[in-house]
Amino acid sequence: MSGNRFALVAAGSRGIGRAAAAALGRDGCRVAICGRDRTALDAAAREIATETGAEILPLAADVSRQADVERFVESAASHFGGLDILVTNSGGPRSAVFDGLTDDDWREAVDLLLMSVVRLTRSALPHLRARGGGRIICVTSIAVKQPVPGLMLSNAIRAGVTGFAKTLAAELGPERITVNCVAPGYTRTDRVVELANATAKREGITTADVDRRTLAAVPMGRMGQPRELGEAIAFLASERASYITGQTLVVDGGYVKGLL
């Protein structure tokens, strides 16, 4: 990939977002990352820059807030002089079954998971168009292929992101802007630990029991590593993926059993 490509990675201070920023940096991109925790964000930027030799620009933002999203995109585009790659990403909503959710829970999850993608895309598109093309990559979840028990909010709303991305891919194809999703399976992140703890509490079992059950359902017998997800995202952002659009790349060690 050219060393003059500019990428924006939402929620890039930890987990899959951090891994995506590092992978893009290794590919020669200059990368802006955002997060809510300024201390963690600055530390991640320093670490990624040291690991990759790339310029990493940390910008504090909460992607569930429209004003923060707009400031993040415009600040990054102004700093770099353009944008080529947008990676939409966020933390996950609370783990709960339907009866445990309120209207406020649903509204907050829609802002976090769906409207963050809409707003990031809306803000970034003029800059991608000005560069004559680009990449939009949405981080979703295996929940869009195979709903996960206890994750009502994620199961319902991430499917909406997939529909958005598929529709947008058709609209933007003539402009040389590809739109794809990466759907992580069970990956060794803070979020997966949080979900395992919530499941254990809900079912009255131990977290170790939850982990054993999870790994028994993964043909590769292990969780993914964030770096493996980051590399998949970097591939979709690269010229090697120039004819791939409107797709969901599942990175799950074989967990999802469906054919499509």
Side-chain angles (χ1 to χ4, degrees):
M1 177 178 286
S2 165
N4 195 32
R5 301 262 283 177
F6 311 128
L8 187 156
V9 179
S13 64
R14 55 173 58 90
I16 292 169
R18 185 194 185 287
L24 290 166
R26 286 191 294 271
D27 272 3
C29 294
R30 297 164 67 189
V31 186
I33 62 174
C34 77
R36 291 176 295 183
D37 183 331
R38 181 84 240 187
T39 300
L41 184 67
D42 289 343
R46 289 192 300 270
E47 292 164 3
I48 297 168
T50 299
E51 291 169 16
T52 66
E55 179 185 359
I56 308 296
L57 175 67
L59 296 166
D62 179 345
V63 296
S64 69
R65 298 182 177 182
Q66 181 173 350
D68 281 23
V69 166
E70 292 171 354
R71 185 176 65 251
F72 173 44
V73 175
E74 294 307 317
S75 296
S78 176
H79 178 85
F80 291 139
L83 288 175
D84 300 286
I85 300 158
L86 168 65
V87 180
T88 74
N89 182 41
S90 71
R94 60 174 295 219
S95 169
V97 297
F98 178 73
D99 285 341
L101 296 169
T102 66
D103 279 4
D104 285 342
D105 291 326
W106 283 99
R107 279 189 287 266
E108 289 171 9
V110 167
D111 273 339
L112 179 65
L113 297 182
L114 177 58
M115 291 310 299
S116 66
V117 177
V118 172
R119 291 164 180 159
L120 283 163
T121 301
R122 183 187 294 132
S123 296
L125 260 180
H127 302 290
L128 299 180
R129 285 171 165 147
R131 299 279 284 180
R135 303 281 187 267
I136 298 172
I137 300 148
C138 305
V139 178
T140 59
S141 165
I142 52 168
V144 306
K145 295 283 188 178
Q146 184 170 300
V148 180
L151 296 188
M152 172 58 77
L153 293 171
S154 186
N155 294 340
I157 300 168
R158 291 192 194 276
V161 175
T162 304
F164 167 81
K166 186 75 170 180
T167 307
L168 190 66
E171 295 181 6
L172 298 183
E175 300 181 63
R176 299 181 60 249
I177 300 172
T178 66
V179 186
N180 292 290
C181 298
V182 170
Y186 288 95
T187 306
R188 190 67 70 181
T189 63
D190 292 344
R191 168 68 173 168
V192 165
V193 172
E194 172 193 321
L195 291 175
N197 289 338
T199 299
K201 182 178 180 180
R202 186 171 61 247
E203 297 184 11
I205 59 178
T206 68
T207 301
D209 290 333
V210 175
D211 286 345
R212 279 192 292 271
R213 184 172 67 193
T214 298
L215 294 183
V218 178
M220 293 191 72
R222 66 173 177 86
M223 288 194 187
Q225 295 298 322
R227 177 169 179 144
E228 293 171 304
L229 273 297
E231 294 296 342
I233 291 166
F235 165 69
L236 288 175
S238 74
E239 291 304 316
R240 302 186 300 279
S242 58
Y243 199 55
I244 301 173
T245 196
Q247 305 304 310
T248 291
L249 175 58
V250 179
V251 185
D252 69 345
Y255 176 84
V256 171
K257 302 304 186 288
L259 296 178
L260 298 175

